[in-house]
Structure formats: C-alpha cells, structure tokens
Amino acid sequence: MSVVDNAIYIDGRRAVDPTSLDHTFEELRQCPDQGRSFCWIGLLRPSKKEIEAVAEEFGLHPLAVEDTITAHQRPKLDLYGDVVFVVLRPARYVDPVEVVEIGEVHLFIGPDFVITVRHAEEPDLAAVRKRLEADPELLDNGPYAVLYAVLDKVVDDYFPVLDGLQDDIDGIEVQVFGGDPGVSKRIYQLSREVIEFQRAVEPLREVFIELRDRLKSTASESDLELRRSLRDVSDHATRVMERVQSFRDLLSNIVQVNAALVAQRQNEEMARLTEAGYDQNEQVKRISSWAAILFAPTLVASIYGMNFTHMPELAWTYGYPFALGLMLLCGMILYTIFKRAGWL
C-alpha cells in the first residue's frame, strides 16, 4: 500500500488511527460535530486505482485527480468548490554530484480532510506531521494548518539548495579566472539547474496570493494567526526567489566574463603565434641574405674553375686578383643592399 500514514484529528489531537482507507472513511463519518475534526491521509507514489478510490470518497474534481495521476505539474493552487488543490515542487541539493533534485507534492485540502500525495521520497512529511502533532493549538486550525506546515517545510528546504548553488558558483568563478578549459560546460549545467529550481520556486508567489485571498474572509483569531504564519512563509519564499534570480543574473555575467577571457586568451595565443612567425621570418631573411652573399663568390669561382682553353682571363697577369676582387665586390654590394632592406 502507498499509505504511509493515516489519522483522524479532533480538536488538534490525533484521535483515531484507521487500519485502512475504508476504515478512515467510516470513522470520519462518525466523528462528533463538535470541534474541528479532519483526517490526514499521506500517500507515497499511489497507484491510479488508489487515487481514484480516494477521489470518489471525497468528491475530488476529475481535473485535479488527472493532474495527480500524471504528475509533472508546475506549482499552483486551484479551487474546486470547497476543495483546494495545491501542487508544490520541493527541492534538495545532492552534494556528491552537485545537482538539484526537484520533487513533487500534491495536496487536497477540504473542509474535513487533507490528502498529501508525494511522487518522490523527499520531503519527508513524517517530520511535518510530528511537528504538528506536538502543537495541538496550531493543528486545531484544521486542514489549512497542514497546508501551512507543508509549505513551511518545502520553503525551508530551499535554503540548503541555495547554499549549495552558491558554493558551486563560487567554485565556477575560481575556475573561470584560473583558465580551466572545462568551466564552460559546468557553467551551462549549473545554469540549467538554477533555471529548473527557479521554475519550482517562482510560481509560489501566485500560490500565496491565491491562498491569502482564500483565507481573507476568515475572521476567527486562530485563523488570523495562521494567516500571519503563512505570510511569514511567503516572505521566506520571496527571499528564495530573489536569490535565485540573482544567481541567474550572476551566471549570465559569468558566461560573458568567461567568453571575454577565452577571447582574450585566444588573442594572446594568436599574438604569440604571430610574433613567433615574425621572428621565424626574420631568421629566414637573414639566412637567405647570407646565402645570396655567399652565392656570388661561389658563382665567380665556379666560372673560372671550368678550365676552358679559350678564357681570356686565364692568361692575364692580374686575372687571379681580378677574380678575388670581383668576388669581394659582389659580396659587399649584396651585403649593402640587404642591410638597407633590414634583412641583416
């Protein structure tokens, strides 16, 4: 069975522990009219058949039942006559893998019943039930006291998530300025985590507005205290929303800074390669210049080394000095030309 806890409360105290859902329905009909009496049925991953059985007994609206069966709903508060249907998206930060896990909780709040449907292990509503049972005065406010306590638990659990995301962002900033090449992937992964978290938190503003309007007509002193408590939870949720938005803005700035630093490093690398190419080109020019200078005397020597019979300079008395002078003159001319061109 998916029923994790099932009890009937009278005047803020746990009065009956039914053995089954049918027993709950029967006992609830027999509860005295005096005081506030209601049942709280907690379900964890219920089957379609179980949800439909509860829906038939309490007259739940088919659209709300369909949302509960299919799950994957955005946070919202819908009114179906005297029944309030609330969807919440609790979150927790998984530190070993540095991800945010988003769960889902559905609540049906009626005049004499509360039905909580969890689609994930978190949050542990047993702690919420224990807290309420330890405070009969608060629980005496009826089903809306349960809604308040669950909202308070969900919103409080958001703060450790914010701390985890803050640590991740701090780590990313160190990676960005440290030149870690893998930081871009981590930035985009964390951006998706923050966006998913924001989608779970942002609609709570509308939920609290609808809930405030729902309770506004209540004039009893106890309900007034409950509204004040809900307003305090709303303030905490607003703080969470503001921090999540600041995270998105900060990550957007980090993306721009990282892109600028990557571009700067690329420009520096291109400048280094350009400078290396320039130095290499200078060396090539020097080598080419000296090769040309050395080529001139080599050419003259090779011509006079052919030893043909009819070469006028071979029988000339000054032929040898002339050849040496020609070699030296060609080398000096080429040296002067290359020197003025800046190749040497």
Side-chain angles (χ1 to χ4, degrees):
M1 291 292 291
S2 63
V3 180
V4 293
D5 203 345
N6 181 14
I8 295 177
Y9 297 89
I10 300 176
D11 294 332
R13 301 184 182 278
R14 187 167 184 144
V16 182
D17 289 316
T19 57
S20 65
L21 291 179
D22 290 336
H23 187 196
T24 303
F25 306 151
E26 180 181 352
E27 288 290 339
L28 189 62
R29 297 190 191 99
Q30 298 175 2
C31 282
D33 294 334
Q34 58 183 3
R36 292 195 176 190
S37 60
F38 69 94
C39 70
W40 180 0
I41 302 173
L43 305 176
L44 175 61
R45 298 191 184 96
S47 65
K48 179 180 179 181
K49 183 178 180 180
E50 289 174 322
I51 295 176
E52 289 176 344
V54 174
E56 181 179 359
E57 177 64 29
F58 292 104
L60 304 181
H61 197 279
L63 291 178
V65 174
E66 182 181 356
D67 287 345
T68 301
I69 293 174
T70 57
H72 304 292
Q73 305 295 315
R74 66 184 295 273
K76 62 180 179 178
L77 187 151
D78 292 333
L79 302 177
Y80 297 100
D82 58 355
V83 177
V84 177
F85 175 59
V86 181
V87 178
L88 301 175
R89 300 300 302 272
R92 72 186 186 100
Y93 183 79
V94 185
D95 190 63
V97 291
E98 297 183 341
V99 298
V100 178
E101 287 188 354
I102 307 295
E104 189 166 350
V105 177
H106 295 184
L107 296 95
F108 294 90
I109 309 297
D112 58 353
F113 65 86
V114 177
I115 303 169
T116 56
V117 181
R118 287 187 292 152
H119 294 277
E121 295 292 337
E122 296 293 333
D124 183 11
L125 296 185
V128 176
R129 190 185 290 261
K130 183 177 180 181
R131 171 198 169 188
L132 286 171
E133 290 176 353
D135 189 356
E137 184 176 351
L138 174 61
L139 192 55
D140 191 38
N141 285 282
Y144 281 100
V146 177
L147 176 58
Y148 152 72
V150 174
L151 278 168
D152 190 39
K153 169 65 174 174
V154 170
V155 173
D156 283 347
D157 286 348
Y158 286 155
F159 287 96
V161 177
L162 293 174
D163 294 338
L165 292 174
Q166 182 66 66
D167 291 341
D168 288 345
I169 292 175
D170 293 341
I172 282 177
E173 289 179 336
V174 173
Q175 287 182 279
V176 167
F177 291 103
D180 188 339
V183 69
S184 297
K185 180 179 179 181
R186 191 180 179 195
I187 291 174
Y188 286 109
Q189 287 176 339
L190 185 58
S191 296
R192 288 199 299 269
E193 296 288 333
V194 171
I195 290 172
E196 288 297 320
F197 186 42
Q198 187 176 37
R199 289 174 179 171
V201 176
E202 194 69 27
L204 287 180
R205 180 180 291 108
E206 298 178 5
V207 171
F208 281 108
I209 292 175
E210 293 285 346
L211 187 57
R212 184 177 64 244
D213 293 341
R214 178 74 173 179
L215 297 175
K216 187 180 295 184
S217 59
T218 305
S220 66
E221 184 64 26
S222 60
D223 287 343
L224 178 59
E225 291 300 320
L226 180 60
R227 291 202 303 274
R228 288 172 178 168
S229 299
L230 283 169
R231 186 162 56 247
D232 181 64
V233 178
S234 177
D235 292 339
H236 292 171
T238 300
R239 288 169 51 195
V240 173
M241 297 174 203
E242 291 173 350
R243 285 193 64 185
V244 173
Q245 184 58 48
S246 70
F247 286 166
R248 288 200 63 178
D249 296 339
L250 184 57
L251 284 170
S252 178
N253 293 334
I254 290 176
V255 169
Q256 297 177 7
V257 171
N258 183 60
L261 291 176
V262 170
Q264 181 181 355
R265 287 193 291 268
Q266 290 176 342
N267 291 337
E268 291 174 352
E269 183 66 17
M270 289 298 297
R272 188 187 65 80
L273 293 175
T274 301
E275 184 178 355
Y278 175 78
D279 292 339
Q280 185 178 14
N281 187 45
E282 291 296 315
Q283 295 296 331
V284 170
K285 287 193 293 184
R286 290 189 180 92
I287 295 172
S288 300
S289 300
W290 285 111
I293 292 173
L294 294 175
F295 175 74
T298 302
L299 177 63
V300 175
S302 63
I303 291 175
Y304 285 100
M306 289 186 293
N307 296 322
F308 288 115
T309 302
H310 301 288
M311 291 186 69
E313 292 82 2
L314 293 179
W316 186 28
T317 304
Y318 300 104
Y320 179 68
F322 173 77
L324 292 179
L326 182 60
M327 294 179 189
L328 182 60
L329 178 62
C330 290
M332 291 179 64
I333 292 173
L334 290 174
Y335 179 82
T336 303
I337 293 174
F338 291 139
K339 189 68 174 179
R340 290 182 176 178
W343 286 30
L344 292 174

